Amino acid sequence: MLIHSAAQLLTPSAQPQRGSRMGELSIIPNGAVLIEGETIAAVGESADLLRRYPNEERYDASGHAVLPGFVDPHTHLVWASDRAAEFEMRLEGKTYMEIMTAGGGIQSTVNATRSASTAELIAQTARRAQDIFALGTTTAEAKSGYGLEWTSELKQMEVLLELDRQGPLEIQPTFLAAHAIPSGFGDRPDAYVQQICAQMLPELKNWWERHASKRPLPFVDVFCEKGAFSLEQTRLIFTTAQELGFPLKVHADEFENIGGARLAIEMGAVSADHLVKTSPEEVRLFGSSSTAAVALPLTPFGLNELEYTPAKAIIAANGLLALASDLNPGTAWCGNMQFVIALACRAMHLTPAQAITAATINAAAAIQREEQLGSIHPGKQADLLVLRVDDYRHLAYRFGGNLVKDIFKKGRLYQNPC
Ligand code: NIG
Ligand code: FE
């Protein structure tokens, strides 16, 4: 398949971008992409590629901008039911953490997710997967974390692997048993941490080797926050996970800074996410670290808070900045990466080009997939978006809708209804 005559073909660098290079989109006007099977085979000017490949099936992209598929490196895609009543409580003045410590919040989704059958959970999650795919997310990281005991955590991992197998959305699973202290362990959180370290992580490793040995091990994530897991508990879980070979991620500095981002950098985590309360000194540490800094602007927006991740400072410090949705039933039931981009440009002052870079190649790096995903280069997986518009800046300029016309996933064309 030869996609040709694209008004703008965005080819941000094949490697993650930092500092002043961040946002170099290398736009080819009248651009073309040759796809062979699941892979990008050639990229260039239409006149050239049309001449060199005269017999290919053609896709006319004239009047449309073409860019890499979005990678969403932080979602909680799999859950049952909803928390609409809590949203109303928050509007009336209760805070997210108050509701959580009173037994609602994450625990309420845990109760619903534990009771849901695998088939129900697949059905509810598949709908969300289809929705975000239609909005241009071609790959998403997705976390467990609404089981908080082995069988229900495993059920979520199985749902994620099954939906990845069904496609077209590609899913990179993360194990987040350390999402909240489950009810029953309220007065002895260390016993739960012990259960994660001594039982769940070794079981997960065994299970993976028996059932998913062709895939890399999932990430292990911890919600490091006052009211969830302390710094010391996070360190313990990380140390155990790392010894077993799991790559690490962390929820850090969402509401209070208890040192999670610094620990993630120190331990070589793949990413540290949220980073609303991260200090200037910690921001500087990202500059000399391979740990990606993942901003989730839908979360403060969803919580009606005014403070956002210091994304500009992270870029200025040479950090590897990525954007994600945080799609979840508590703080942000929205997986629209187009809206993430639009909000990032307003609330965190990114340029549209920086936001797109953070949602593609840098987001791929935040899930260790930058070799295959996130840019339009020969050898990479053919995951591309064709916009309804001819200028990529409309992704930031407009908001709340869907500017994605067609999606190529692993070289296969999926069309959105007009
Ligand atoms: O990233 N902060 C912890 N986890 C989610 C919220 C999950 C929930 O409320 O269900 C987050 O914001
Ligand atoms: Fe999250």
Side-chain angles (χ1 to χ4, degrees), residues 318-331:
N318 220 34
L320 202 172
L321 178 81
L323 284 171
S325 71
D326 199 18
L327 169 61
N328 76 78
T331 60

Side-chain angles (χ1 to χ4, degrees), residues 156-196:
Q156 288 174 81
M157 297 301 275
E158 287 178 313
V159 167
L160 292 172
L161 291 177
E162 173 57 23
L163 290 177
D164 174 70
R165 204 185 55 71
Q166 291 178 12
L169 178 72
E170 192 171 343
I171 296 173
Q172 188 80 36
T174 292
F175 189 70
L176 178 60
H179 196 191
I181 310 289
S183 61
F185 283 91
D187 51 351
R188 46 192 186 104
D190 287 332
Y192 183 57
V193 172
Q194 178 61 20
Q195 198 178 94
I196 292 175

Side-chain angles (χ1 to χ4, degrees), residues 76-97:
H76 302 254
L77 191 66
V78 48
W79 76 80
S81 195
D82 68 80
R83 306 215 304 264
E86 284 182 10
F87 171 64
E88 208 159 44
M89 283 161 74
R90 281 197 278 111
L91 293 179
E92 284 157 7
K94 286 251 181 310
T95 70
Y96 176 81
M97 287 313 270

Side-chain angles (χ1 to χ4, degrees), residues 74 76 83 86 96 100 105-106 109 143 146 176 179 223 251 254-255 274 296 299 303 326 328-332:
H74 184 138
H76 302 254
R83 306 215 304 264
E86 284 182 10
Y96 176 81
M100 177 162 160
I106 292 170
T109 302
K143 305 170 196 296
Y146 294 117
L176 178 60
H179 196 191
F223 184 17
H251 283 66
E254 181 177 358
F255 300 106
H274 284 293
L296 311 165
T299 309
L303 292 170
D326 199 18
N328 76 78
T331 60

Side-chain angles (χ1 to χ4, degrees), residues 50-384:
L50 284 167
R51 186 166 17 82
R52 279 164 52 202
Y53 304 99
N55 301 322
E56 288 293 329
E57 189 187 342
R58 290 182 181 182
Y59 176 102
D60 184 353
S62 52
H64 304 286
V66 173
L67 72 157
F70 299 128
V71 175
D72 186 343
H74 184 138
T75 82
H76 302 254
L77 191 66
V78 48
W79 76 80
S81 195
D82 68 80
R83 306 215 304 264
E86 284 182 10
F87 171 64
E88 208 159 44
M89 283 161 74
R90 281 197 278 111
L91 293 179
E92 284 157 7
K94 286 251 181 310
T95 70
Y96 176 81
M97 287 313 270
E98 276 166 6
I99 294 170
M100 177 162 160
T101 32
I106 292 170
Q107 184 64 45
S108 108
T109 302
V110 167
N111 299 339
T113 306
R114 281 181 182 170
S115 2
S117 68
T118 304
E120 265 172 72
L121 211 47
I122 287 181
Q124 293 191 30
T125 307
R127 214 168 308 135
R128 287 188 284 271
Q130 284 152 13
D131 286 350
I132 67 172
F133 184 77
L135 288 160
T137 298
T138 46
T139 302
E141 181 263 15
K143 305 170 196 296
S144 67
Y146 294 117
L148 309 187
E149 42 101 10
W150 170 246
T151 47
S152 306
E153 284 293 313
L154 182 63
K155 178 170 70 178
Q156 288 174 81
M157 297 301 275
E158 287 178 313
V159 167
L160 292 172
L161 291 177
E162 173 57 23
L163 290 177
D164 174 70
R165 204 185 55 71
Q166 291 178 12
L169 178 72
E170 192 171 343
I171 296 173
Q172 188 80 36
T174 292
F175 189 70
L176 178 60
H179 196 191
I181 310 289
S183 61
F185 283 91
D187 51 351
R188 46 192 186 104
D190 287 332
Y192 183 57
V193 172
Q194 178 61 20
Q195 198 178 94
I196 292 175
C197 293
Q199 289 168 15
M200 292 198 211
L201 292 176
E203 278 234 46
L204 179 64
K205 174 95 190 249
N206 276 334
W207 188 90
W208 211 263
E209 278 163 6
R210 277 182 284 122
H211 297 96
S213 58
K214 290 203 181 69
R215 303 182 60 113
L217 283 174
F219 298 102
V220 167
D221 194 344
V222 178
F223 184 17
C224 179
E225 188 78 37
K226 207 161 148 194
F229 294 83
S230 71
L231 190 65
E232 275 324 300
Q233 290 166 337
T234 306
R235 189 189 296 277
L236 206 62
I237 296 168
F238 272 5
T239 306
T240 311
Q242 209 158 49
E243 278 167 12
L244 290 165
F246 292 103
L248 308 176
K249 282 181 168 281
V250 73
H251 283 66
D253 307 341
E254 181 177 358
F255 300 106
E256 283 186 45
N257 184 335
I258 62 166
R262 189 186 288 269
L263 176 69
I265 291 170
E266 184 189 308
M267 295 194 65
V270 175
S271 77
D273 304 24
H274 284 293
L275 309 177
V276 175
K277 301 286 181 183
T278 307
S279 70
E281 196 206 327
E282 289 162 323
V283 163
R284 273 195 295 280
L285 296 177
F286 279 102
S288 49
S289 164
S290 62
T291 302
V294 181
L296 311 165
L298 297 182
T299 309
F301 179 81
L303 292 170
N304 212 7
E305 283 170 0
L306 299 175
E307 206 179 342
Y308 285 78
T309 306
K312 277 291 208 204
I314 292 169
I315 295 173
N318 220 34
L320 202 172
L321 178 81
L323 284 171
S325 71
D326 199 18
L327 169 61
N328 76 78
T331 60
W333 189 324
C334 175
N336 185 347
M337 288 296 282
Q338 300 173 56
F339 184 57
V340 172
I341 288 166
L343 183 58
C345 291
R346 288 166 179 80
M348 303 192 297
H349 310 290
L350 299 188
T351 65
Q354 287 173 328
I356 288 171
T357 304
T360 55
I361 182 62
N362 284 16
I367 55 167
Q368 294 188 307
R369 293 294 307 279
E370 69 275 22
E371 297 299 327
Q372 301 94 34
L373 308 176
S375 74
I376 302 181
H377 286 88
K380 283 207 173 178
Q381 196 165 291
D383 293 1
L384 315 174

